[in-house]
Amino acid sequence: INFLTAYLRSMEYPSPSHAFKDPNPNPTDEYNEMFAERMRAAGILPHARIGVAVSGGPDSMALCLLVSRWRKMNNQKRLDATFPRVQGLVVGFVVDHCLRPNSGAEARVVQNWVFQLGMKCEVLQCVWEEGIPTQAHLQEAARNARGP
């Protein structure tokens, strides 16, 4: 998405020790409007349940920021009252692949960034039943774990 690339360049990206701050808490700029238009075109309404895969990289954090702003633009409190069964159910999902000793802490940092944008966020942990694969066999192990 070209507009997402431009949007990423305009963002201030946080270090792990800093909070994720929305550089523009008033969601009225052109990127937010383009995002809202693309969501409409895709048939995704502001009260829809949405899951966002979040790596903590600039692409997924920009997507979280855009989703968060899109909900704010559509008055989330009004949506929650109108659609009580959904109640703003936007959830970020961070996958801790458990491949490095610090991966759990890194996942929690990303989870905290997503929380700060007003979204729920869950950390999912990989369970390597046959032990953590070697780097040489990581892709193969991931394919096997996903199944047929």
Side-chain angles (χ1 to χ4, degrees), residues 116-135:
Q116 290 174 37
L117 291 173
M119 294 171 51
K120 295 178 182 182
C121 188
E122 299 291 331
V123 175
L124 309 173
Q125 270 192 329
C126 286
V127 176
W128 299 99
E129 293 181 10
E130 296 179 23
I132 295 175
T134 63
Q135 189 65 32

Side-chain angles (χ1 to χ4, degrees), residues 48-54 63-64 67 89-93 119-120:
R49 293 179 182 188
I50 300 173
V52 180
V54 187
L63 181 58
C64 286
V67 168
L89 193 57
V90 176
V91 180
F93 294 98
M119 294 171 51
K120 295 178 182 182

Side-chain angles (χ1 to χ4, degrees), residues 66-109:
L66 287 167
V67 168
S68 174
R69 287 179 172 181
W70 176 61
R71 297 287 252 215
K72 288 176 187 172
M73 286 171 55
N74 289 283
N75 189 345
Q76 187 58 51
K77 288 182 182 175
R78 179 182 50 80
L79 289 173
D80 288 349
T82 306
F83 302 97
R85 293 185 61 189
V86 176
Q87 295 202 336
L89 193 57
V90 176
V91 180
F93 294 98
V94 179
V95 177
D96 174 6
H97 292 91
C98 302
L99 296 174
R100 294 181 315 283
N102 294 344
S103 65
E106 293 167 0
R108 286 187 298 279
V109 166

